[in-house]
Amino acid sequence: MKKTLMTVTAALALTFATGNALAASGIAYATDESGQSYTALYTESSWMAVEVPLADLGGTLPANLSLSTTGLSAGTTITLNGTDIRGNMALLYVTVERTDTGSYVNDVASITVNAGDKALTTVSIPVYGAAYDQ
């Protein structure tokens, strides 16, 4: 119960900490190519996309998008693979990797979407990974 409350509190704090400098759409959802929604990203995946309102990116999908992340365990990364548009949402296809599969991942990633040097929006999404022996 405490861990769940702390995760929700951290996600809300990340959302409000972005201030007036950029649009903050809050908690993001992930999706797959068929449109199935997920409430988290999973490690060792390259089939998921983070949904971001197109309005938060200025109404278009800039060609020079990049991501920067905070809130992830050491060795866990989120890399942008490609983009697409579905309705009024930008789909940011990502790969989620980690260097140590022997440790679990239970983080809330704060993902800032950039166009060149300009931060457009920041969203938060849980990132999970089970621990297993190699």
Side-chain angles (χ1 to χ4, degrees):
M1 176 71 171
K2 281 185 178 182
K3 190 165 198 133
T4 302
L5 183 58
M6 288 175 39
T7 301
V8 170
T9 302
L12 290 173
L14 287 170
T15 300
F16 293 114
T18 59
N20 296 329
L22 50 105
S25 60
I27 303 297
Y29 291 92
T31 188
D32 60 20
E33 285 192 13
S34 69
Q36 175 70 38
S37 284
Y38 299 86
T39 58
L41 293 172
Y42 301 103
T43 58
E44 292 78 55
S45 69
S46 60
W47 51 269
M48 302 183 91
V50 177
E51 296 181 326
V52 177
L54 206 50
D56 288 0
L57 305 179
T60 62
L61 192 56
N64 60 344
L65 283 181
S66 65
L67 304 179
S68 55
T69 59
T70 59
L72 294 172
S73 301
T76 303
T77 59
I78 298 174
T79 307
L80 181 65
N81 294 333
T83 60
D84 201 0
I85 296 174
R86 183 182 297 148
N88 63 350
M89 302 298 281
L91 302 180
L92 310 177
Y93 289 95
V94 296
T95 295
V96 184
E97 296 178 300
R98 61 184 164 158
T99 55
D100 181 10
T101 57
S103 299
Y104 70 90
V105 174
N106 184 14
D107 299 328
V108 177
S110 179
I111 302 171
T112 300
V113 182
N114 306 295
D117 293 338
K118 183 179 179 187
L120 301 176
T121 191
T122 298
V123 296
S124 299
I125 189 166
V127 178
Y128 301 129
Y132 55 90
D133 293 329
Q134 300 177 27

